[in-house]
Amino acid sequence: MPGIDNIMENPFRMETMLEYLAEHPDKRFAARAAHNVCSTLENKMDKWGETNRKFYNKLLNTAEYLAAKTTLSSFPSRMYLELTNACNLDCPMCGQSFFRGKRALLDPRVVNKLEPIYPYLDDLCLAGFGETLIHPHLKEIIYAIPSYVPTRIITNGLPLHEEIIDFLTGNLHSLWVSFEATDPETYQKIRGVDAYHRLLDQIRQLQETKERRGTDLPRLFFCFVAMQRNIHQLPAYIEQASKLGAEGVHVNFLTVFRDSLKEQSLYFDREKAEEYFEKARHVARSCNIELTLPSDNGSGGSSFFRCAEPWQFSYVSATGDIIPCCVYTYPLGNIYSTSFSKIWNNEAYQTFRHSVNSPRSRHQRCRRCIIDANRTRWDENRHFQLIDKKNRLIEEKQDA
């Protein structure tokens, strides 16, 4: 491949080459070419420099994924750091309402153990299965993470009291508030508490604090779980988000984790959902607000989806377990006993990388993955993931 030895002088050319290889129909050719890219980048790692380290790491990471390497010289560019798996709410549509596992708080010292990874991260999300803002050492954790690391928190917003607003302002890059109603009654039915007006008041207080201090941080985004009960409110919700100063609204479908949620699923009322999605697009354009709807780019065909998560992403749970994504929840190591660098290339991680893109050995959870890019918006696996109280997936074919 001409010019490959000049990679360090032509990084953007290499980036374009990797994009080309990712779409190349001959996967064997793409893997061989990507392997050559890996060798070139690995041989010049000592010349990356502090300024360009993140960029070159992403190039190498992409090349290692395309080459299907299982032992990596690169590190993930995205990470979830789950501060707790406990929550202050018991929302019926969430697994929290029937999860009976061990509740845990992340030891703040884990933040320092992850320090070697920070220079490579584009996104460090301090969230997971629980409510991040209830961690008693949240302030200590926020201040311990270097300011150059892009950090965000996903929250239900109710613990957003004055003290938390005070230290998040200017220190957190983005705050994603998850609620899905435009009136107190709908909010209470979905979230189980009468706290709608309190939530909005706290959001306003955050925005006022940012304005008073002359900072845009944290940038504000809203998350909306779409279901039968609230889909008609989505257009007005976007207007409300704009008035509250949110930059964007991210919409996800309700995931049916148990039978009692089926009646709220939009899977059975697609025309209604699409109608309100179109209305929402119109409102978002008029309000100049970013709207992200459930993806519908999948072909719906039988083509095999190649997962990149075990190369590009890692999840640190509140118990210290390291898992490769948000779907496959079986631990590959534990940060309390082993460094992340050793876990990242241990036997369990290598085995998972080898099997995840193999049609024969791919795990059940991976076969039912809700983020499979080949799935259409109305693929049943995007709507139904029935699990038991031990968080084990129940194989059950749903009837449309």
Side-chain angles (χ1 to χ4, degrees):
M1 189 169 294
I4 194 170
D5 290 333
N6 297 323
I7 172 60
M8 302 306 286
E9 290 73 34
N10 298 280
F12 296 106
R13 180 182 176 188
M14 182 56 67
E15 187 176 31
T16 301
M17 181 190 300
L18 290 172
E19 291 173 356
Y20 166 76
L21 293 177
E23 300 298 327
H24 200 284
D26 187 341
K27 298 305 178 186
R28 290 186 177 181
F29 166 80
R32 289 195 301 270
H35 196 277
N36 290 335
V37 175
C38 292
S39 299
T40 301
L41 285 168
E42 288 170 352
N43 290 336
K44 298 187 177 183
M45 287 176 70
D46 59 331
K47 299 180 181 179
W48 284 7
E50 294 297 323
T51 305
N52 299 317
R53 192 191 316 184
K54 182 187 294 187
F55 177 71
Y56 284 118
N57 177 75
K58 285 189 72 173
L59 287 181
L60 178 57
N61 187 266
T62 301
E64 289 179 328
Y65 159 64
L66 293 173
K69 296 189 74 171
T70 59
T71 303
L72 310 185
S73 296
S74 64
F75 288 104
S77 58
R78 298 177 293 113
M79 178 175 282
Y80 263 46
L81 182 58
E82 181 185 77
L83 301 196
T84 180
N85 60 5
C87 191
N88 58 320
L89 294 182
D90 197 30
C91 306
M93 82 285 195
C94 178
Q96 285 283 351
S97 63
F98 63 101
F99 175 68
R100 297 296 179 264
K102 176 185 176 183
R103 303 294 180 173
L105 292 169
L106 188 79
D107 188 325
R109 289 175 293 184
V110 169
V111 175
N112 294 327
K113 295 193 71 172
L114 294 171
E115 190 171 350
I117 311 301
Y118 293 146
Y120 305 107
L121 294 179
D122 287 328
D123 176 38
L124 177 60
C125 183
L126 306 177
F129 188 56
E131 171 51 56
T132 298
L133 299 187
I134 68 173
H135 196 291
H137 300 291
L138 177 62
K139 184 176 181 179
E140 175 186 342
I141 291 170
I142 292 290
Y143 286 160
I145 298 171
S147 59
Y148 63 80
V149 180
T151 51
R152 64 186 173 106
I153 286 176
I154 303 172
T155 173
N156 59 52
L158 292 183
L160 199 63
H161 54 72
E162 187 173 355
E163 181 184 356
I164 291 180
I165 289 173
D166 181 65
F167 68 77
L168 290 185
T169 301
N171 293 305
L172 181 74
H173 288 74
S174 64
L175 186 72
W176 297 65
V177 182
S178 182
F179 74 106
E180 44 285 299
T182 57
D183 63 69
E185 293 74 26
T186 304
Y187 180 88
Q188 185 166 5
K189 286 179 180 178
I190 294 174
R191 293 286 169 169
V193 293
D194 180 12
Y196 176 76
H197 290 299
R198 175 162 69 90
L199 173 63
L200 298 192
D201 286 343
Q202 290 173 173
I203 292 172
R204 294 187 186 101
Q205 184 180 356
L206 169 68
Q207 298 297 67
E208 290 167 2
T209 303
K210 288 163 54 179
E211 183 176 1
R212 188 171 63 252
R213 294 190 186 175
T215 180
D216 294 329
L217 302 181
R219 299 169 60 195
L220 181 64
F221 298 86
F222 288 170
C223 302
F224 183 98
V225 179
M227 61 188 84
Q228 290 282 359
R229 181 171 282 129
N230 66 1
I231 186 63
H232 64 285
Q233 295 187 352
L234 181 57
Y237 179 89
I238 294 170
E239 289 183 357
Q240 175 179 254
S242 179
K243 292 176 181 176
L244 290 168
E247 297 182 33
V249 171
H250 189 93
V251 181
N252 281 318
F253 286 121
L254 167 74
T255 301
V256 176
F257 291 113
R258 52 182 175 173
D259 287 332
S260 60
L261 295 173
K262 288 181 179 178
E263 64 179 17
Q264 285 298 322
S265 175
L266 290 166
Y267 182 78
F268 304 107
D269 207 342
R270 306 178 191 187
E271 291 185 6
K272 178 180 178 180
E274 294 292 356
E275 174 189 349
Y276 282 104
F277 284 168
E278 185 55 38
K279 291 179 179 179
R281 291 189 191 96
H282 177 76
V283 174
R285 285 192 294 267
S286 65
C287 293
N288 193 29
I289 194 168
E290 179 183 339
L291 174 65
T292 305
L293 295 171
S295 172
D296 198 27
N297 297 326
S299 64
S302 58
S303 58
F304 187 76
F305 168 63
R306 294 188 72 240
C307 177
E309 292 295 88
W311 286 262
Q312 299 174 357
F313 173 82
S314 194
Y315 188 123
V316 183
S317 77
T319 59
D321 287 335
I322 305 292
I323 55 179
C325 68
C326 297
V327 175
Y328 182 90
T329 55
Y330 300 93
L332 304 180
N334 191 283
I335 195 69
Y336 288 131
S337 59
T338 312
S339 70
F340 181 84
S341 298
K342 289 184 178 180
I343 295 172
W344 184 237
N345 278 315
N346 68 12
E347 183 179 355
Y349 238 121
Q350 291 182 52
T351 300
F352 186 73
R353 291 187 186 112
H354 177 75
S355 66
V356 68
N357 289 322
S358 169
R360 291 186 177 182
S361 58
R362 174 173 268 188
H363 192 271
Q364 172 190 1
R365 279 283 178 99
C366 301
R367 294 196 303 269
R368 295 281 304 276
C369 180
I370 61 175
I371 61 172
D372 186 331
N374 284 338
R375 302 195 192 284
T376 66
R377 178 182 289 164
W378 297 106
D379 187 298
E380 66 177 297
N381 287 292
R382 286 197 166 190
H383 297 260
F384 300 98
Q385 294 284 323
L386 292 172
I387 59 176
D388 62 20
K389 291 185 178 182
K390 293 185 179 180
N391 199 30
R392 294 175 302 194
L393 187 66
I394 301 172
E395 283 285 5
E396 178 178 322
K397 186 75 173 177
Q398 304 299 326
D399 296 322

